[in-house]
Structure formats: C-alpha cells, structure tokens
Amino acid sequence: MSTHIGAQMGDYADTVLLPGDPLRAKYIAEHFLTNVKQVNEIRNAFGYTGEYQGHRVSVQGSGMGIPSMSIYINELVQFYGVKTIIRVGSCGGMAPDVHLRDVLLASGSSTDSAVTANTFGPGVHYAPLADFGLLDTAYHEAQKMGITPKVGDIFAADRFYNDELDMKKLADYGVIGTEMESAGLYLLAAKLHFRALSVLTVSDLIFGDEKTTAAEREQTFNDMINISLATAIA
Ligand code: HPA
C-alpha cells in the first residue's frame, strides 16, 4: 500500500476515472461497472476496480482542489502504475454559449494555483494541456451519443470563494468554465508521463442564476460518465 491508498499492487486498472467526490466514485462503480472490487477506503477516499464492456477500469475519489487530487494522482501513477487518468467533475460555466448541464472538455487549463510557477520558477507561465488523443476520442464518442461537448480553456481556481479574481476578464480571454483541479492534473501528466483529460458537466453559471433539478443533474452526470468510459476503453 502507498501512504494514502490501501490497495495492493495490481489492484488498479491502467485507466482510472477520477471524480472529486468519493460518493460519485461509489455511484460510478455501482451503476456502470461489473465485477467490482473496492480497493481503497482510507479517509473515505473510495476507490474501486471493475469491468466496463469487458475492459478493466478503476474509479477513485480525489477530494477537492489540486493539493488533495495531487496526492492520489502521484500514488496512482508512481506506486500503482496507472497510465491514463480521466477526471470527471463539475464546473461553473463562464462562456456566453455555455449552459447548465453542458459537457465541457478541458483542452487546456489556466490557473492561479502556485503549482505551475513553483515548478518552473519566475518568468515561465507553463500551459498545462490535455492529451490530444483522449480529447479527440472523447469528443467523437460524445458525438456518437448525440452530445456535442464544448472544448476549451478551463480555469482551475485555487479558491472556491474568491471575490478578488476578475472572472469576467478570464471569460473575455476565452475561458469557458472553472473548477479547481484540471491544471494540476495536466501538469502532473506532463511531469509523470501519463495521459490525462478532464470531462466536466456545468453545474452552475458564474454570471447567471439558471438552476437544474436533481434529476437533470443526474442525467447529465450519467452522460459524462458514459463519454468517459467510452473514451477509457477506446
Ligand atoms: N467554482 C469552482 N469550482 C467549481 C464550481 C465553481 O463555480 N462549480 C463546480 N466546481
């Protein structure tokens, strides 16, 4: 076992879906996978390995934000040999043509987190990017399901509550949504040489007050999982 994961070597599949919420990991395992085995319960950061259409796939809760997620990614990749991580999460919509329940694919991720600056030092503003193969596959698998995802820059915020950030300016510069993880995922993917993609559903709007029902949110969440699992086994 590694420091924060109680699994044995070989317990995780090569490809891991990574929701922030451990209960979403449980939901995905129970509703989408067969032959499921729970592989982690330390700190209630639930992890499971099962099968999807005959392919071995794992799902692991990461917690919220880059620091928590990075712990799980480092251990999954360096200790358990994971090769592909697909984050499945929610985000706030920021572009005028982004609506509640839309599926967004993060082609890149800007951030106010210090992780990129701390990695490269002053003067370098590294641009963390998705794996293009995964991005291309997810886009086309979604289209086969009748869903056209919006693709673009996702702002990974260091703070959920931050009234000092100029979100309008970020939107003016083409940022389509905000969450708290993608830049950290893509930076680690570059560092540790694994493939990464963030697939997100819009749960709220940064400049509006549209609301969704619980049933609508569940349907959109299921769409996101279906796209991600199809991408995982493609
Ligand atoms: N901000 C940050 N993270 C989020 C949001 C948001 O508005 N919505 C879902 N995750």
Side-chain angles (χ1 to χ4, degrees):
M1 52 185 285
S2 57
T3 308
H4 301 87
I5 299 177
Q8 303 300 310
M9 294 290 269
D11 273 353
Y12 282 92
D14 284 354
T15 299
V16 177
L17 263 56
L18 196 77
D21 181 354
L23 289 178
R24 291 221 164 132
K26 186 167 189 273
Y27 175 90
I28 294 166
E30 286 173 353
H31 291 85
F32 291 85
L33 304 182
T34 55
N35 297 325
V36 173
K37 176 184 168 194
Q38 182 163 1
V39 293
N40 190 51
E41 57 176 12
I42 294 179
R43 284 178 183 253
N44 288 332
F46 303 134
Y48 306 86
T49 296
E51 282 179 28
Y52 181 72
Q53 295 180 6
H55 299 261
R56 219 167 156 249
V57 177
S58 296
V59 51
Q60 170 66 50
S62 72
M64 287 180 278
I66 291 172
S68 176
M69 179 196 65
S70 298
I71 289 172
Y72 295 98
I73 292 175
N74 270 287
E75 294 182 24
L76 287 170
V77 173
Q78 295 187 291
F79 197 90
Y80 296 99
V82 167
K83 306 272 184 279
T84 300
I85 296 181
I86 301 175
R87 165 167 153 71
V88 288
S90 61
C91 70
M94 289 173 60
D97 66 339
V98 165
H99 304 285
L100 281 181
R101 305 179 57 206
D102 279 355
V103 176
L104 307 187
L105 303 176
S107 50
S109 180
S110 301
T111 189
D112 63 342
S113 159
V115 288
T116 50
N118 286 349
T119 300
F120 293 97
V124 174
H125 301 276
Y126 184 77
L129 300 180
D131 178 85
F132 181 72
L134 287 177
L135 178 64
D136 186 48
T137 301
Y139 187 83
H140 289 101
E141 290 296 333
Q143 286 208 314
K144 283 188 215 162
M145 298 172 197
I147 299 161
T148 299
K150 305 217 163 80
V151 181
D153 188 4
I154 297 294
F155 184 74
D158 213 13
R159 288 177 276 175
F160 186 89
Y161 297 104
N162 186 351
D163 53 15
E164 283 134 12
L165 252 179
D166 190 344
M167 299 302 276
K168 279 252 181 281
K169 185 166 186 176
L170 287 168
D172 279 349
Y173 275 70
V175 170
I176 62 171
T178 180
E179 36 84 284
M180 301 183 70
E181 290 85 9
S182 290
L185 170 65
Y186 292 174
L187 182 71
L188 279 174
K191 178 180 179 184
L192 301 176
H193 307 292
F194 65 92
R195 303 190 309 157
L197 177 67
S198 280
V199 183
L200 306 167
T201 57
V202 178
S203 60
D204 53 273
L205 295 179
I206 300 304
F207 310 117
D209 54 8
E210 256 183 275
K211 292 271 179 287
T212 50
T213 66
E216 285 172 333
R217 284 197 298 275
E218 184 170 325
Q219 179 54 49
T220 330
F221 181 78
N222 290 344
D223 290 343
M224 172 176 69
I225 301 308
N226 282 317
I227 293 166
S228 301
L229 285 169
T231 304
I233 68 166

